[in-house]
Amino acid sequence: MSKKPSDFSRRDLLKAAAALGTVPFAAACERSSPISSAQASSGDTQGSFNAQVVVVGAGIAGLTAARRLVAAGVDTLVVEACDRVGGRTLNHNVSAAQALPGTVVEVGGQWVGPGQDRVLALIEELGLSTFKTFEDGNYIDYRNGLKTQYGHVFPIDPLNLGLNRLPLTDPVAAAEAALAIETLTSMANQVPLDMPWTAANAAAWDNQTFQSWMDANLVTPGAKSLLQLAIETLFCAEPREVSLLHALLCFHSGGSLEHMISTTGGAQDSRIAGGSQLISLRMAQALGSRVLLRAPVTRIEYNDKGVRVSGDQFSVHAQRTIIALPPTLSGRITYAPPVNGLRDQLTQRFPMGSVIKVQCVYPKPFWRDAGLNGQATSDTGPVKSTFDNSPPDAHVGVIVGFITGSEARTAIMQTREQRMAGVIESFVRYFGEQARTPLEYIERDWASEEYSRGGYLGYLPPGVWLDYGIAMTAPVGRIHWAGSETSDINRGYFDGAVRSGERVAEEVAALL
Amino acid sequence: MTVSEKADVCIIGAGLGGLGAARRLSEQGKSVIVLEARDRVGGRTKRGSLCGQPVDLGGQWIGPTQTRAVQLCKDLGLEIYSQYAEGKRLLELDGQLHSYQGLIPRISWLALLDTARAMKRINKAAQGIDTSAPWKSVDVLKLDQISAAQWLDRTALTRNGRRLMEILIRAVYTCEPHEVSMLSVLHYISSAGSIEVQASVEDNGAQQWLVRGGAFQMAERLADRLPQACVKLNAAVDSLEQSGSGVRIRHARGEVKASRVIIAVAPQLVAAIHCSPALPAMRMQLQARMPMGSVIKAHVAYERPFWREQGWSGEVASDAGPFGPVFDATPPGSPHGVLVGFFDGGHSRMAAGAPEEMRRQMVVGSLQRYFGEQASSPIGYVDKDWISDPWSRGGYLATTPPGALTACGPALRSPCGRIHWAGSESATRWAGYMDGALESGERAAMEVIEAGT
């Protein structure tokens, strides 16, 4: 699935370092968001229910598990805290007058790509279709106050001399970054996906942050800045926050670092027609009244006979329960008896990244006329990476950008107006004055969502895999764990969510 | 049946932070209600019993420079006595047991020099930390982007020197050096004074004094002196609703309406309380980045304090554990001998949730290695697995992994509307200790008083 390391191109890195939006976003609530009408309800879920299995969380993982179980004839109920399904995916109807009715952009996770077989199969099963992310034209790189346009300078490069690999301003840094990615890839391949703590160098790698590895192994500021951008955009956290072992595991799990940061042929290859939330909406539609919305779970009681999952105004009795939430959110539930200390402390050590996804809608994708593909990478915030996110027919133009890590934490403290000004400043810097007057500004601050607490995914600081790894998926009594963070393959992506849902459904079905 | 009550201030958590705040506020004429999830007060201090004698299952020692804790003991009529420190100490390193007098173990001079050098460096680095705002310190990014293990990689030159430092970090912060940001470690050191003070039973050390009858009495007596019935036990808080004029707190036994709230629990424990409107993003992210340490504390009673008779002080440090460090905790005047010790950091994780009998065997096994056959037949055993306690979720304290303090540190004490923050982690002096809890309670009480309504 991944290209040979030597095929790595700086262009891939630059343009796609940005990409990372692929990773599904944390569950979030938007009161005003559309939900399937069958499930719309005026108040919180009330009453008591019975089922064989109760699934907590109606994101892709939870719904996949429920869908599988129902197909196997198991009486299953899904409870969801928000008033909508989709978890870390959420469609937004573009409101700009020039946009055709029904024009949708995603404010959560959005991309799929080759190698993500399980989610691609699900998309097909649900009758959904995908289309290619727009990538025709040149890339923008903004660095040290200088804007460079690159890519497609030489139309062909049959000897793979790297003619199109770099903005010509800083070839040394590009070469160093390329080498570093090669090294990281070979390190990542030594990390077992199911038990990363058993890697030969696990102790040394989990002792340190990614930043420390960069400090020890990179010389040029340019290469550091490129890798920093890759980490910020992939994990929504700074390199100083993330364990090196965890980063390596994620690279291995996602195919390769290069695959994860690539658009065409990589993890940002395609988008879902109608918006990625449709995956969850379609599954929920089929499950019908088996999905209870506005049902935040506060307490789970369990013994050797069954479980009782309850919130303020509802309770569900079942034989087993599946918690399909990011680990930090699962740690907010009260368990009686308490879950074992290892599991509990794992949830205390699994923070969500910090991200604000921003988009501007324009009358047309004007950058395309200038020969640009809408992808920019930058060393200057608040937005350090962008993509063309226009609808397939491009009747309006949309640029999507990501504010991540430290930049997000600064932006969180600002007002919407202040953030918008900063975002537009970034877009103008990359695409010119035409970017100054969008028809609509759309933003989503995932860290401020109570049922999300950040995005796109939970990351691990140093030391946690070594000491707590075994608690990641080990069931506790009749409680089973799912969610994209528990998947060996494509951890953190939609595909990981689907795989975790399938894995847990099998695990539970075997025990009923 | 829902009971609705009113108070000027509602305090969540009846540990030393919460009770200290309640005391100050009552003195100022404010009405307070303290909500406590457990069936007892004291938080991370707890009463236990061994051979008919009370013992501390949680926070136990105080140091001479912990002026608030010392003063409180005086105010409450509690007597302080010195930790037994006569005789030789034991240090187990790399499979070898060394006994030594005074502060300097008889290991290789190189390792000692190395350790001394590392400690000097660590203290020097800690001096540069602003205890009230560590995220503002000079070079803060450099310190917050590495784990303590990485700092040791660079600083410790000998294997045994490094092991000693690891023992120290595990014992003082209840986590492994690879889990904790160097900035977090330095913050705690600077808030305590120096690493020697944190580690020591003498020379103004944090383990120099004990409270006769148990340190848990501080919380018990504080609670007794508050106005009648203002501490509600078994009252776990479910949700907080803030409006322009006040806060409505729903708990297991009813609800409280107050004009302000002080939350005096560890940051991690706040996550389970549903707040509306939701807490600011920075505060939520901070809470997700302050895991509790891992610790199990055990007391073991013997017919006699046989180690004293053999010229040992009872103090043991070990790199192998799983039980250690160990101290003599024989109550004054008792005919029996008592050793107290810890499973800490990584050593505690395999013992957490295990049946008590299994932990007892692990403890006795370690003690036999340190003190010989005489340690094999204790007459009593009691322990407390703080990791498995749902209202603590670990102990002694919360630390932060790399990057967290610089990312979200300012949210540690910033009030969120009518919510004010206490708890030992939010202290600027002796953070993580009982003394720090008292400081945090006083500071939060002052914030509330200054805010008026």
Side-chain angles (χ1 to χ4, degrees), chain B residues 40 90 121 123 162 189 274 285 290 319 353 355 385 402 409 419:
Chain B
R40 61 171 182 85
L90 290 172
R121 288 202 174 182
N123 284 330
R162 187 192 172 103
I189 292 174
H274 289 256
Q285 292 224 324
M290 285 196 84
D319 63 345
D385 172 3
I419 302 175

Side-chain angles (χ1 to χ4, degrees), chain B residues 55-80:
Chain B
V55 292
D56 277 309
L57 292 179
Q60 172 167 5
W61 287 274
I62 55 182
T65 64
Q66 297 175 351
T67 48
R68 283 188 173 82
V70 172
Q71 183 61 43
L72 181 66
C73 286
K74 272 190 196 146
D75 294 351
L76 298 174
L78 292 169
E79 192 190 321
I80 285 170

Side-chain angles (χ1 to χ4, degrees), chain A residues 183-193 196 198-201 205 252:
Chain A
T183 309
L184 286 166
T185 302
S186 77
M187 288 161 72
N189 291 338
Q190 297 166 38
V191 179
L193 294 177
T198 61
N201 291 312
W205 292 345
H252 192 186

Side-chain angles (χ1 to χ4, degrees), chain B residues 98-120:
Chain B
H98 309 264
S99 78
Y100 62 102
Q101 200 91 33
L103 287 172
I104 304 179
R106 278 191 293 185
I107 56 173
S108 93
W109 277 104
L110 268 182
L112 283 177
L113 277 175
D114 192 26
T115 311
R117 185 173 143 275
M119 287 173 69
K120 202 171 158 190

Side-chain angles (χ1 to χ4, degrees), chain A residues 244-285:
Chain A
L244 174 62
L245 179 69
H246 182 68
L248 294 171
L249 168 72
C250 289
F251 300 159
H252 192 186
S253 171
S256 69
L257 173 54
E258 188 193 354
H259 185 78
M260 292 167 82
I261 59 178
S262 295
T263 303
T264 305
Q268 283 67 239
D269 182 78
S270 296
R271 297 161 56 193
I272 293 154
S276 59
Q277 197 190 359
L278 281 181
I279 300 174
S280 295
L281 288 169
R282 291 263 170 105
M283 285 197 282
Q285 208 168 19

Side-chain angles (χ1 to χ4, degrees), chain B residues 6-61:
Chain B
K6 281 196 172 129
D8 293 330
V9 185
C10 178
I11 295 165
I12 299 174
L16 286 171
L19 293 171
R23 176 197 198 204
R24 281 278 173 270
L25 289 165
S26 318
E27 283 169 1
Q28 299 285 322
K30 300 272 183 197
S31 62
V32 295
I33 290 177
V34 183
L35 298 175
E36 169 56 50
R38 312 175 206 254
D39 59 2
R40 61 171 182 85
V41 299
R44 289 175 252 173
T45 63
K46 186 178 195 286
R47 175 192 284 270
S49 170
L50 181 68
C51 299
Q53 298 264 13
V55 292
D56 277 309
L57 292 179
Q60 172 167 5
W61 287 274

